[in-house]
Amino acid sequence: MKKKLIGLVALFVVALFINQVAIMINDAGITMNNRLTTAEKKLSEAKSQYNQSVDDYVTAWLSTGKTFSDTKMQSLADRLTAYSLANNAVHEFFKTYYTFSNADSYNAREAKLRAFTSESILNNDYYFGNPVDSSGENYITVLGLKNKFKSVDVNLMNYDADNIQVLAMAVYESKTNATSYKEGSQMYVINYSRKENKIVSLDKINSSINNTYTN
Amino acid sequence: MSRFNKDMAIKLAYILMVFLVGLSCFKLYKAFKDNNLSELSSQVEAKKKQESSYKAKAKQLKANGDNEVKKKVEANVDEIVANQKYNVQDSINQFKTDLNNGLKLLITDTDTKEQLKANKKEVQKLLHSKKLTKELYGFNDNFMNFGTADSIEIGVGKYSLTSENVSFVALVKWTSQDLSQTPAFQKGDSPTTKNVLTIRGEYNLKSQKVVETTVGNVVEEAK
């Protein structure tokens, strides 16, 4: 009788043991599946980052004035090249134009911009006039006006072998002695001459739109 | 308990235990079958290796340090471009044409309500957006009295070969009655004003829909 009972207990223990092993294998499976899911996710991210890198590389490569026999390819390369040229010039221009901290740095912008801005713009008082108010005071100094460039969003309108025309939204921050930095934005239509490698016209657009997208 | 009953109970207990062992064995078999651990493990390792490989390639390409990768990309530009899901350039040009025609129609004088209704339908098609059309017509019920657009300029932002969305800005200029008049935008003999309306948005090349827009207020053109 005793032996039979020991046999029963032994069978029970064996059943428990096998059951426990099954549970452990299932747990290990779940862990492994989770690891596989994580690995797949990471692989997918790495793959898309690589594809983005290739895309960026090809886009940058096509933006350097390449020639192709295929007309569609040529059209794409021309567009990307025109955008890249104008985008670089417009960024350089506004980075300098909207950055000053006193009357001296305000006046120094003109010389800095000369390399890529036409004389007609630099001589235009609307953009580069002497900053004096009606009483003859320098309002940059009087107000303590300071400006910081934030960004410029360049949109390509038209281009040909000689000129590139863009619509640009420049975003900047301004402050005076009495106020802290506040963000502002201004839209411009800009013409860039490929022959002169310069911005040759600048038209301020009166627009109520701001720089943020809302749906 | 009689001797007979005891034997029966033990027999039944044995049958139950054997059943339990059998059930556990089945669970164990199923666990092995469902969880091919060595296969899963090798899959995880393979994915990790692939991930490292992609990361290394991206790093090399970014740093322009690997001439072989560069050469390979340069040699396969045609193929890379041909493999794009859609032709970015053609899609953008078509969208610019549509947007231009849509805005032109939006501003154009309309004499009858029926014509206005028909125009709205066409404008919605050309602007690729119900929401934008509604918003533009919602400015003023008298949009039909705008006259003719002086100019419509459209700029398209940066895009790459695989871009799904491109940003755009549309600048519409037209001449109307003085904005200071009430109600605004109605025909009359009062002085004319040069107006500017700016629209910014994003166009999805895949769905061919305008997915996001900001419409500015109508302002007087800077003199």
Side-chain angles (χ1 to χ4, degrees):
Chain A
M1 186 62 157
K2 199 178 170 186
K3 278 183 182 171
K4 283 179 180 173
L5 283 173
I6 289 169
L8 266 177
V9 171
L11 271 176
F12 183 68
V13 169
V14 168
L16 269 184
F17 176 75
I18 295 170
N19 198 49
Q20 197 56 39
V21 171
I23 289 169
M24 280 166 68
I25 291 169
N26 275 327
D27 285 350
I30 290 167
T31 309
M32 202 55 93
N33 271 311
N34 286 341
R35 281 177 64 192
L36 183 62
T37 308
T38 308
E40 277 169 348
K41 204 176 157 192
K42 281 185 174 176
L43 172 63
S44 164
E45 281 167 14
K47 203 173 176 179
S48 83
Q49 272 172 10
Y50 172 69
N51 288 338
Q52 188 59 53
S53 300
V54 172
D55 182 37
D56 289 346
Y57 180 76
V58 176
T59 305
W61 186 74
L62 285 171
S63 303
T64 53
K66 302 283 173 199
T67 48
F68 297 92
S69 52
D70 182 85
T71 49
K72 274 191 175 175
M73 272 296 291
Q74 191 59 59
S75 157
L76 181 62
D78 287 348
R79 201 270 178 198
L80 291 171
T81 303
Y83 185 89
S84 175
L85 280 171
N87 189 42
N88 291 342
V90 168
H91 263 88
E92 284 303 314
F93 178 85
F94 285 118
K95 203 163 75 182
T96 305
Y97 184 77
Y98 279 117
T99 306
F100 56 88
S101 54
N102 53 40
D104 288 341
S105 54
Y106 180 89
N107 291 330
R109 297 173 311 152
E110 209 175 311
K112 286 183 188 170
L113 291 168
R114 186 150 271 117
F116 46 91
T117 312
S118 72
E119 285 298 317
S120 62
I121 295 174
L122 296 173
N123 294 332
N124 187 336
D125 283 350
Y126 186 69
Y127 296 110
F128 293 96
N130 199 12
V132 286
D133 58 23
S134 51
S135 60
E137 297 264 25
N138 186 310
Y139 59 79
I140 305 287
T141 308
V142 172
L143 295 172
L145 190 61
K146 289 179 182 179
N147 241 52
K148 282 197 288 192
F149 168 77
K150 273 197 84 177
S151 64
V152 61
D153 175 33
V154 177
N155 297 275
L156 187 65
M157 291 162 70
N158 303 301
Y159 61 93
D160 57 29
D162 300 327
N163 291 299
I164 304 166
Q165 191 178 41
V166 296
L167 251 172
M169 170 76 86
V171 184
Y172 56 90
E173 285 183 319
S174 294
K175 81 178 278 295
T176 63
N177 287 336
T179 62
S180 54
Y181 275 109
K182 279 181 186 162
E183 194 174 289
S185 58
Q186 178 60 53
M187 190 171 277
Y188 296 87
V189 171
I190 298 162
N191 278 295
Y192 174 84
S193 163
R194 300 178 98 149
K195 283 183 179 167
E196 293 178 52
N197 288 325
K198 282 181 176 180
I199 291 173
V200 289
S201 80
L202 190 66
D203 290 319
K204 223 173 188 175
I205 303 297
N206 194 8
S207 166
S208 71
I209 210 158
N210 62 25
N211 62 307
T212 50
Y213 284 149
T214 53
N215 204 356
Chain B
M1 198 186 281
S2 69
R3 172 94 190 167
F4 175 77
N5 283 346
K6 271 186 187 173
D7 283 349
M8 276 301 287
I10 286 170
K11 272 182 187 168
L12 281 171
Y14 261 100
I15 290 167
L16 184 66
M17 284 307 134
V18 169
F19 174 74
L20 273 178
V21 170
L23 189 67
S24 298
C25 285
F26 176 72
K27 277 174 82 177
L28 186 62
Y29 161 75
K30 202 167 177 313
F32 271 120
K33 199 184 164 199
D34 292 349
N35 302 286
N36 191 341
L37 293 179
S38 63
E39 172 65 24
L40 281 172
S41 177
S42 60
Q43 276 185 34
V44 170
E45 287 311 310
K47 303 280 176 202
K48 279 185 176 173
K49 267 187 187 170
Q50 279 179 289
E51 183 202 344
S52 303
S53 162
Y54 273 115
K55 275 186 175 173
K57 281 202 282 184
K59 209 173 167 185
Q60 281 174 342
L61 192 63
K62 214 168 192 175
N64 282 344
D66 188 333
N67 284 329
E68 268 185 42
V69 178
K70 278 177 75 178
K71 276 178 197 165
K72 202 176 167 187
V73 170
E74 287 172 15
N76 293 304
V77 164
D78 285 346
E79 195 189 328
I80 290 165
V81 174
N83 284 340
Q84 300 312 305
K85 290 174 225 161
Y86 31 76
N87 193 317
V88 180
Q89 188 77 341
D90 284 354
S91 298
I92 287 174
N93 287 342
Q94 185 57 53
F95 172 63
K96 278 180 81 176
T97 307
D98 287 353
L99 189 61
N100 186 68
N101 291 337
L103 291 170
K104 208 182 278 177
L105 189 59
L106 175 93
I107 301 293
T108 305
D109 253 351
T110 313
D111 293 327
T112 63
K113 292 273 179 195
E114 289 72 29
Q115 187 60 47
L116 178 66
K117 203 177 164 188
N119 280 6
K120 273 186 183 177
K121 210 174 168 186
E122 185 63 15
V123 166
Q124 187 178 308
K125 197 176 123 195
L126 292 167
L127 295 187
H128 296 257
S129 169
K130 197 175 177 180
K131 188 176 170 284
L132 179 60
T133 308
K134 207 174 159 189
E135 200 170 351
L136 289 171
Y137 274 107
F139 261 135
N140 191 301
D141 286 340
N142 295 310
F143 234 121
M144 61 172 146
N145 291 326
F146 262 2
T148 309
D150 295 330
S151 70
I152 295 169
E153 290 164 312
I154 297 163
V156 175
K158 190 176 187 176
Y159 63 79
S160 66
L161 300 176
T162 52
S163 295
E164 279 201 13
N165 286 343
V166 285
S167 63
F168 67 90
V169 178
L171 201 61
V172 189
K173 292 181 183 177
W174 75 98
T175 309
S176 79
Q177 179 188 359
D178 196 324
L179 287 176
S180 62
Q181 300 295 308
T182 307
F185 313 136
Q186 285 197 338
K187 280 178 178 174
D189 298 326
S190 51
T192 55
T193 307
K194 295 270 185 190
N195 306 299
V196 182
L197 172 69
T198 320
I199 302 160
R200 294 183 79 183
E202 272 199 28
Y203 177 66
N204 186 285
L205 295 158
K206 204 173 178 182
S207 66
Q208 300 190 345
K209 296 253 183 259
V210 169
V211 289
E212 210 167 276
T213 51
T214 308
V215 180
N217 294 323
V218 176
V219 291
E220 198 175 332
E221 190 178 355
K223 291 184 172 91

